[in-house]
Amino acid sequence: MTEADADLPDSADILLVEDNPGDVRLMKEGFDASPLDPTVHTVTDGDDALEFLFQRGDYVDAPRPDLVILDLNLPRTSGDDVLAELKEDLNHRRIPVIVFTSSQAEDDVITSYNYHANACLTKPDHATEFIETIGRVVELWFTLLRLPSDEE
């Protein structure tokens, strides 16, 4: 165990909002390769993301995620709308959200930050880079940065 590994939390809940099964698989490989063993909850559209985040419907017992990784191009409710609704809510706005998108559009980056995304990343084209990027995200968000607790 390295010194960085000793600083990892005992557990973490990550909400992955992604509709592409291939991207979900690569992200889970990235999480599996990291020293943190997060519990990854996956939803495939914006409506389910909001239901999970606000603990409604089928997700009434869902945990409050420590981190959300959000694709922008989602079925039903868009990633932008999920982000906007989450960050408008006083009880949820401190949940860190990383927008992880295949979009290269500058407007998408600007919109994500205007809606208070904590970071915006472009998905790498190659599987190895994709997996390594997720590992770096885990390291950054759970080792180097100090995250707020979910307590008021």
Side-chain angles (χ1 to χ4, degrees):
M1 176 182 283
T2 68
E3 185 177 325
D5 293 348
D7 293 335
L8 288 171
D10 293 335
S11 64
D13 283 292
I14 297 174
L15 175 61
L16 175 57
V17 187
E18 174 61 64
D19 63 320
N20 181 317
D23 288 352
V24 169
R25 182 183 55 77
L26 290 172
M27 285 188 219
K28 286 186 176 181
E29 285 185 39
F31 295 131
D32 289 345
S34 78
L36 179 67
D37 187 22
T39 301
V40 180
H41 309 272
T42 304
V43 296
T44 58
D45 65 59
D47 287 1
D48 283 346
L50 290 170
E51 293 291 296
F52 187 101
L53 289 161
F54 289 95
Q55 297 174 311
R56 300 184 295 227
D58 292 340
Y59 300 101
V60 70
D61 293 321
R64 180 184 175 99
D66 299 299
L67 178 68
V68 176
I69 298 179
L70 177 68
D71 187 22
L72 292 181
N73 301 313
L74 297 169
R76 299 165 68 189
T77 301
S78 73
D80 287 337
D81 289 341
V82 170
L83 180 61
E85 190 168 334
L86 180 67
K87 294 299 185 171
E88 285 173 1
D89 185 83
L90 289 174
N91 295 319
H92 292 83
R93 69 172 42 152
R94 290 185 307 182
I95 297 172
V97 178
I98 298 174
V99 172
F100 198 53
T101 182
S102 55
S103 173
Q104 299 281 338
E106 184 67 17
D107 286 347
D108 286 338
V109 174
I110 291 168
T111 299
S112 294
Y113 283 114
N114 283 343
Y115 287 140
H116 306 285
N118 297 87
C120 189
L121 299 168
T122 302
K123 293 176 184 174
D125 292 331
H126 301 289
T128 303
E129 291 174 37
F130 197 110
I131 293 166
E132 288 173 358
T133 298
I134 292 300
R136 288 187 198 116
V137 165
V138 169
E139 180 180 4
L140 174 66
W141 287 93
F142 293 104
T143 303
L144 300 175
L145 298 179
R146 183 170 175 200
L147 298 176
S149 70
D150 61 351
E151 299 171 8
E152 295 297 315

